[in-house]
PDB file of all heavy atoms in Angstrom:
ATOM      1  N   GLY Z 284     -24.430  15.751  11.031  1.00 96.00           N
ATOM      2  CA  GLY Z 284     -23.418  16.492  10.281  1.00 96.00           C
ATOM      3  C   GLY Z 284     -23.217  17.911  10.744  1.00 96.00           C
ATOM      4  O   GLY Z 284     -22.717  18.740   9.984  1.00 96.00           O
ATOM      5  N   ASN Z 285     -23.554  18.215  11.987  1.00 96.00           N
ATOM      6  CA  ASN Z 285     -23.418  19.595  12.452  1.00 96.00           C
ATOM      7  C   ASN Z 285     -22.553  19.705  13.694  1.00 96.00           C
ATOM      8  O   ASN Z 285     -22.756  20.585  14.531  1.00 96.00           O
ATOM      9  CB  ASN Z 285     -24.788  20.222  12.721  1.00 96.00           C
ATOM     10  CG  ASN Z 285     -24.722  21.743  12.793  1.00 96.00           C
ATOM     11  OD1 ASN Z 285     -23.793  22.361  12.275  1.00 96.00           O
ATOM     12  ND2 ASN Z 285     -25.703  22.346  13.437  1.00 96.00           N
ATOM     13  N   LEU Z 286     -21.555  18.827  13.833  1.00 98.00           N
ATOM     14  CA  LEU Z 286     -20.637  18.958  14.958  1.00 98.00           C
ATOM     15  C   LEU Z 286     -19.900  20.300  14.938  1.00 98.00           C
ATOM     16  O   LEU Z 286     -19.706  20.902  16.003  1.00 98.00           O
ATOM     17  CB  LEU Z 286     -19.648  17.794  14.976  1.00 98.00           C
ATOM     18  CG  LEU Z 286     -18.676  17.754  16.149  1.00 98.00           C
ATOM     19  CD1 LEU Z 286     -19.406  17.747  17.488  1.00 98.00           C
ATOM     20  CD2 LEU Z 286     -17.752  16.535  16.045  1.00 98.00           C
ATOM     21  N   PRO Z 287     -19.478  20.820  13.767  1.00 98.00           N
ATOM     22  CA  PRO Z 287     -18.880  22.160  13.785  1.00 98.00           C
ATOM     23  C   PRO Z 287     -19.799  23.206  14.414  1.00 98.00           C
ATOM     24  O   PRO Z 287     -19.327  24.109  15.118  1.00 98.00           O
ATOM     25  CB  PRO Z 287     -18.624  22.452  12.302  1.00 98.00           C
ATOM     26  CG  PRO Z 287     -18.400  21.099  11.694  1.00 98.00           C
ATOM     27  CD  PRO Z 287     -19.383  20.209  12.416  1.00 98.00           C
ATOM     28  N   GLY Z 288     -21.101  23.090  14.178  1.00 97.00           N
ATOM     29  CA  GLY Z 288     -22.035  24.034  14.786  1.00 97.00           C
ATOM     30  C   GLY Z 288     -22.044  23.950  16.296  1.00 97.00           C
ATOM     31  O   GLY Z 288     -22.156  24.970  16.993  1.00 97.00           O
ATOM     32  N   GLU Z 289     -21.909  22.736  16.859  1.00 98.00           N
ATOM     33  CA  GLU Z 289     -21.875  22.579  18.307  1.00 98.00           C
ATOM     34  C   GLU Z 289     -20.592  23.165  18.891  1.00 98.00           C
ATOM     35  O   GLU Z 289     -20.613  23.784  19.964  1.00 98.00           O
ATOM     36  CB  GLU Z 289     -22.004  21.112  18.695  1.00 98.00           C
ATOM     37  CG  GLU Z 289     -22.005  20.842  20.192  1.00 98.00           C
ATOM     38  CD  GLU Z 289     -23.219  21.402  20.926  1.00 98.00           C
ATOM     39  OE1 GLU Z 289     -24.228  21.742  20.257  1.00 98.00           O
ATOM     40  OE2 GLU Z 289     -23.161  21.493  22.174  1.00 98.00           O
ATOM     41  N   ILE Z 290     -19.480  22.999  18.192  1.00 98.00           N
ATOM     42  CA  ILE Z 290     -18.214  23.574  18.659  1.00 98.00           C
ATOM     43  C   ILE Z 290     -18.316  25.095  18.689  1.00 98.00           C
ATOM     44  O   ILE Z 290     -17.905  25.746  19.667  1.00 98.00           O
ATOM     45  CB  ILE Z 290     -17.053  23.107  17.759  1.00 98.00           C
ATOM     46  CG1 ILE Z 290     -16.912  21.581  17.847  1.00 98.00           C
ATOM     47  CG2 ILE Z 290     -15.747  23.790  18.163  1.00 98.00           C
ATOM     48  CD1 ILE Z 290     -15.997  20.986  16.796  1.00 98.00           C
ATOM     49  N   VAL Z 291     -18.877  25.667  17.640  1.00 98.00           N
ATOM     50  CA  VAL Z 291     -19.076  27.121  17.604  1.00 98.00           C
ATOM     51  C   VAL Z 291     -20.013  27.553  18.725  1.00 98.00           C
ATOM     52  O   VAL Z 291     -19.785  28.562  19.404  1.00 98.00           O
ATOM     53  CB  VAL Z 291     -19.629  27.552  16.229  1.00 98.00           C
ATOM     54  CG1 VAL Z 291     -20.082  29.007  16.256  1.00 98.00           C
ATOM     55  CG2 VAL Z 291     -18.569  27.358  15.144  1.00 98.00           C
ATOM     56  N   ALA Z 292     -21.077  26.785  18.967  1.00 98.00           N
ATOM     57  CA  ALA Z 292     -22.026  27.130  20.025  1.00 98.00           C
ATOM     58  C   ALA Z 292     -21.372  27.109  21.400  1.00 98.00           C
ATOM     59  O   ALA Z 292     -21.670  27.944  22.258  1.00 98.00           O
ATOM     60  CB  ALA Z 292     -23.214  26.168  19.982  1.00 98.00           C
ATOM     61  N   MET Z 293     -20.465  26.154  21.627  1.00 98.00           N
ATOM     62  CA  MET Z 293     -19.751  26.108  22.905  1.00 98.00           C
ATOM     63  C   MET Z 293     -18.870  27.336  23.069  1.00 98.00           C
ATOM     64  O   MET Z 293     -18.768  27.909  24.157  1.00 98.00           O
ATOM     65  CB  MET Z 293     -18.934  24.821  23.010  1.00 98.00           C
ATOM     66  CG  MET Z 293     -19.791  23.569  23.112  1.00 98.00           C
ATOM     67  SD  MET Z 293     -18.843  22.031  23.280  1.00 98.00           S
ATOM     68  CE  MET Z 293     -18.421  22.086  25.038  1.00 98.00           C
ATOM     69  N   HIS Z 294     -18.237  27.754  21.975  1.00 98.00           N
ATOM     70  CA  HIS Z 294     -17.414  28.966  22.041  1.00 98.00           C
ATOM     71  C   HIS Z 294     -18.291  30.187  22.323  1.00 98.00           C
ATOM     72  O   HIS Z 294     -17.938  31.039  23.160  1.00 98.00           O
ATOM     73  CB  HIS Z 294     -16.657  29.144  20.733  1.00 98.00           C
ATOM     74  CG  HIS Z 294     -15.929  30.450  20.625  1.00 98.00           C
ATOM     75  ND1 HIS Z 294     -15.002  30.863  21.562  1.00 98.00           N
ATOM     76  CD2 HIS Z 294     -16.015  31.447  19.703  1.00 98.00           C
ATOM     77  CE1 HIS Z 294     -14.529  32.054  21.212  1.00 98.00           C
ATOM     78  NE2 HIS Z 294     -15.139  32.421  20.106  1.00 98.00           N
ATOM     79  N   GLU Z 295     -19.424  30.276  21.658  1.00 98.00           N
ATOM     80  CA  GLU Z 295     -20.321  31.416  21.870  1.00 98.00           C
ATOM     81  C   GLU Z 295     -20.879  31.427  23.286  1.00 98.00           C
ATOM     82  O   GLU Z 295     -21.203  32.492  23.832  1.00 98.00           O
ATOM     83  CB  GLU Z 295     -21.448  31.386  20.840  1.00 98.00           C
ATOM     84  CG  GLU Z 295     -20.958  31.676  19.418  1.00 98.00           C
ATOM     85  CD  GLU Z 295     -22.045  31.512  18.374  1.00 98.00           C
ATOM     86  OE1 GLU Z 295     -23.098  30.906  18.698  1.00 98.00           O
ATOM     87  OE2 GLU Z 295     -21.842  31.973  17.236  1.00 98.00           O
ATOM     88  N   LEU Z 296     -20.978  30.252  23.901  1.00 97.00           N
ATOM     89  CA  LEU Z 296     -21.431  30.160  25.287  1.00 97.00           C
ATOM     90  C   LEU Z 296     -20.414  30.771  26.240  1.00 97.00           C
ATOM     91  O   LEU Z 296     -20.773  31.306  27.294  1.00 97.00           O
ATOM     92  CB  LEU Z 296     -21.655  28.689  25.647  1.00 97.00           C
ATOM     93  CG  LEU Z 296     -22.346  28.389  26.969  1.00 97.00           C
ATOM     94  CD1 LEU Z 296     -23.850  28.675  26.869  1.00 97.00           C
ATOM     95  CD2 LEU Z 296     -22.125  26.929  27.352  1.00 97.00           C
ATOM     96  N   GLY Z 297     -19.119  30.685  25.880  1.00 98.00           N
ATOM     97  CA  GLY Z 297     -18.076  31.234  26.737  1.00 98.00           C
ATOM     98  C   GLY Z 297     -16.790  30.443  26.768  1.00 98.00           C
ATOM     99  O   GLY Z 297     -15.793  30.877  27.362  1.00 98.00           O
ATOM    100  N   PHE Z 298     -16.760  29.254  26.147  1.00 98.00           N
ATOM    101  CA  PHE Z 298     -15.541  28.471  26.063  1.00 98.00           C
ATOM    102  C   PHE Z 298     -14.530  29.193  25.160  1.00 98.00           C
ATOM    103  O   PHE Z 298     -14.911  29.829  24.168  1.00 98.00           O
ATOM    104  CB  PHE Z 298     -15.817  27.103  25.443  1.00 98.00           C
ATOM    105  CG  PHE Z 298     -16.459  26.098  26.350  1.00 98.00           C
ATOM    106  CD1 PHE Z 298     -17.701  26.342  26.929  1.00 98.00           C
ATOM    107  CD2 PHE Z 298     -15.835  24.894  26.620  1.00 98.00           C
ATOM    108  CE1 PHE Z 298     -18.304  25.409  27.751  1.00 98.00           C
ATOM    109  CE2 PHE Z 298     -16.428  23.942  27.444  1.00 98.00           C
ATOM    110  CZ  PHE Z 298     -17.659  24.210  28.012  1.00 98.00           C
ATOM    111  N   SER Z 299     -13.249  29.069  25.487  1.00 98.00           N
ATOM    112  CA  SER Z 299     -12.245  29.526  24.536  1.00 98.00           C
ATOM    113  C   SER Z 299     -12.322  28.649  23.292  1.00 98.00           C
ATOM    114  O   SER Z 299     -12.876  27.538  23.315  1.00 98.00           O
ATOM    115  CB  SER Z 299     -10.847  29.439  25.143  1.00 98.00           C
ATOM    116  OG  SER Z 299     -10.458  28.078  25.294  1.00 98.00           O
ATOM    117  N   LYS Z 300     -11.766  29.122  22.195  1.00 98.00           N
ATOM    118  CA  LYS Z 300     -11.773  28.326  20.965  1.00 98.00           C
ATOM    119  C   LYS Z 300     -11.032  27.007  21.172  1.00 98.00           C
ATOM    120  O   LYS Z 300     -11.478  25.952  20.705  1.00 98.00           O
ATOM    121  CB  LYS Z 300     -11.152  29.119  19.812  1.00 98.00           C
ATOM    122  CG  LYS Z 300     -11.998  30.296  19.372  1.00 98.00           C
ATOM    123  CD  LYS Z 300     -11.289  31.128  18.306  1.00 98.00           C
ATOM    124  CE  LYS Z 300     -12.124  32.344  17.929  1.00 98.00           C
ATOM    125  NZ  LYS Z 300     -11.409  33.219  16.975  1.00 98.00           N
ATOM    126  N   GLU Z 301      -9.921  27.053  21.879  1.00 98.00           N
ATOM    127  CA  GLU Z 301      -9.155  25.831  22.114  1.00 98.00           C
ATOM    128  C   GLU Z 301      -9.934  24.859  22.988  1.00 98.00           C
ATOM    129  O   GLU Z 301      -9.938  23.648  22.735  1.00 98.00           O
ATOM    130  CB  GLU Z 301      -7.808  26.149  22.761  1.00 98.00           C
ATOM    131  CG  GLU Z 301      -6.945  24.912  22.951  1.00 98.00           C
ATOM    132  CD  GLU Z 301      -5.547  25.228  23.443  1.00 98.00           C
ATOM    133  OE1 GLU Z 301      -5.256  26.414  23.691  1.00 98.00           O
ATOM    134  OE2 GLU Z 301      -4.743  24.290  23.568  1.00 98.00           O
ATOM    135  N   ALA Z 302     -10.613  25.376  24.023  1.00 98.00           N
ATOM    136  CA  ALA Z 302     -11.393  24.498  24.897  1.00 98.00           C
ATOM    137  C   ALA Z 302     -12.562  23.882  24.148  1.00 98.00           C
ATOM    138  O   ALA Z 302     -12.880  22.697  24.329  1.00 98.00           O
ATOM    139  CB  ALA Z 302     -11.892  25.277  26.104  1.00 98.00           C
ATOM    140  N   ALA Z 303     -13.215  24.661  23.295  1.00 98.00           N
ATOM    141  CA  ALA Z 303     -14.357  24.149  22.535  1.00 98.00           C
ATOM    142  C   ALA Z 303     -13.916  23.077  21.552  1.00 98.00           C
ATOM    143  O   ALA Z 303     -14.551  22.021  21.434  1.00 98.00           O
ATOM    144  CB  ALA Z 303     -15.059  25.291  21.802  1.00 98.00           C
ATOM    145  N   LEU Z 304     -12.808  23.329  20.839  1.00 98.00           N
ATOM    146  CA  LEU Z 304     -12.339  22.334  19.873  1.00 98.00           C
ATOM    147  C   LEU Z 304     -11.788  21.105  20.588  1.00 98.00           C
ATOM    148  O   LEU Z 304     -12.035  19.966  20.163  1.00 98.00           O
ATOM    149  CB  LEU Z 304     -11.268  22.947  18.968  1.00 98.00           C
ATOM    150  CG  LEU Z 304     -10.710  22.033  17.871  1.00 98.00           C
ATOM    151  CD1 LEU Z 304     -11.824  21.443  17.019  1.00 98.00           C
ATOM    152  CD2 LEU Z 304      -9.714  22.799  17.001  1.00 98.00           C
ATOM    153  N   GLY Z 305     -11.071  21.297  21.676  1.00 98.00           N
ATOM    154  CA  GLY Z 305     -10.562  20.162  22.438  1.00 98.00           C
ATOM    155  C   GLY Z 305     -11.669  19.283  22.973  1.00 98.00           C
ATOM    156  O   GLY Z 305     -11.521  18.055  23.060  1.00 98.00           O
ATOM    157  N   ALA Z 306     -12.815  19.904  23.326  1.00 98.00           N
ATOM    158  CA  ALA Z 306     -13.958  19.146  23.819  1.00 98.00           C
ATOM    159  C   ALA Z 306     -14.564  18.261  22.746  1.00 98.00           C
ATOM    160  O   ALA Z 306     -15.351  17.355  23.042  1.00 98.00           O
ATOM    161  CB  ALA Z 306     -15.030  20.101  24.357  1.00 98.00           C
TER     162      ALA Z 306
END
Side-chain angles (χ1 to χ4, degrees):
N285 197 22
L286 183 57
E289 181 66 16
I290 298 168
V291 170
M293 292 181 79
H294 172 56
E295 291 174 345
L296 190 75
F298 283 60
S299 70
K300 291 175 183 176
E301 183 173 3
L304 182 54

